[in-house]
Amino acid sequence: MDLLNSLAVAAAPTRLDPVELFFDADIVVQAVIVGLVLASVWVWAIIIGFTLRMGRSKSRSEAFEEEFWTHEDVDSVLDLKRRKDNPSARVAAAGIAEFRRSHKSGLKDPSAARSRVAQALEGQVAYEADTMANRLNFLATTGSVAPFVGLFGTVWGIMNSFFQIGMQQNSSLAVVAPGIAEALFATAVGLFAAIPAVIAYNRLSNKVNGYEAGLQRFADRVHAQISREMEAI
């Protein structure tokens, strides 16, 4: 008997095995864990994709703005190709297009024309910021929902453990512990998905705010330049 106990102790796992916990879990808990893992993968894909996209947009915008203020031929700078992949170019194009429409119909009310140009610039800046922040909503949703989804898996697993106690009529720790461990694993996976999502959402939201502020400063300079040209007409 002592030999059997010694073999059982020797065969017992010495550390937690997430893979074994997953395969031993109830089907509902497994479904919760799979969903949370997929959400975590998508969270990291958004983080990496957003970081790369933000870096490209900022570098393109800075290069365009430098060229815009030093180039005499505005039309050649605002060609169609650059408008498609350059936020600052699209902002400038929106303001200049509104100015030209107002100038074409005659500047009967320069103040109203300036207001329309400002609205066009601000609208384009808001559009660029919203487009950049489009996928960040998933981070916020994952950060707030994932812990509760994991908790649902935990509650289900604990309910299943109590059911096993009733079926086996045995409340020993050996009967209860495996099911509870599997259930708590769902909560751990939920936190694993939620914590990076919350941190990334806060940091990337601040980056979007800074990005929008940079575009707004450029839009203000464009509006000032257009106002000076209106006064010279």
Side-chain angles (χ1 to χ4, degrees):
M1 194 67 168
D2 293 338
L3 179 60
L4 292 176
N5 290 335
S6 299
L7 291 174
V9 171
T14 58
R15 61 183 177 83
L16 287 175
D17 187 348
V19 177
E20 185 177 349
L21 285 174
F22 172 78
F23 284 110
D24 291 342
D26 182 83
I27 185 64
V28 175
V29 179
Q30 287 181 345
V32 168
I33 292 173
V34 169
L36 291 171
V37 169
L38 292 176
S40 179
V41 171
W42 187 239
V43 162
W44 283 105
I46 291 174
I47 293 171
I48 295 172
F50 178 91
T51 302
L52 295 175
R53 184 183 178 189
M54 174 68 78
R56 288 194 301 266
S57 295
K58 289 184 71 174
S59 61
R60 289 172 181 171
S61 294
E62 289 171 0
F64 170 81
E65 291 173 21
E66 182 177 355
E67 185 178 1
F68 181 81
W69 296 118
T70 58
H71 207 286
E72 294 183 359
D73 188 357
V74 175
D75 290 327
S76 65
V77 178
L78 291 173
D79 57 46
L80 182 60
K81 181 179 179 181
R82 295 192 180 187
R83 287 189 209 176
K84 288 183 178 179
D85 59 4
N86 196 305
S88 291
R90 290 191 290 266
V91 170
I96 292 173
E98 180 59 39
F99 165 67
R100 288 177 175 173
R101 283 193 293 269
S102 298
H103 183 264
K104 185 177 180 181
S105 60
L107 288 174
K108 299 178 181 178
D109 189 349
S111 178
R114 291 191 189 93
S115 178
R116 288 193 298 269
V117 171
Q119 290 176 357
L121 290 168
E122 290 174 1
Q124 190 64 38
V125 168
Y127 172 80
E128 298 296 337
D130 290 342
T131 302
M132 181 62 69
N134 186 28
R135 292 185 176 181
L136 296 187
N137 290 331
F138 183 81
L139 299 182
T141 302
T142 301
S144 60
V145 172
F148 294 100
V149 175
L151 183 60
F152 168 76
T154 297
V155 171
W156 184 272
I158 292 175
M159 289 171 58
N160 188 52
S161 295
F162 280 112
F163 177 76
Q164 294 298 325
I165 290 174
M167 292 291 294
Q168 299 183 25
Q169 296 183 354
N170 187 350
S171 61
S172 67
L173 189 62
V175 174
V176 179
I180 293 178
E182 296 157 10
L184 293 176
F185 181 55
T187 297
V189 176
L191 294 175
F192 177 78
I195 292 173
V198 172
I199 295 173
Y201 177 77
N202 291 333
R203 289 183 60 85
L204 298 183
S205 294
N206 288 334
K207 287 183 178 294
V208 170
N209 292 336
Y211 173 79
E212 184 177 8
L215 288 178
Q216 188 60 54
R217 286 192 294 270
F218 174 67
D220 291 340
R221 293 183 65 190
V222 172
H223 183 264
Q225 180 63 29
I226 292 174
S227 296
R228 285 191 290 270
E229 293 186 11
M230 285 183 179
E231 292 175 357
I233 295 175

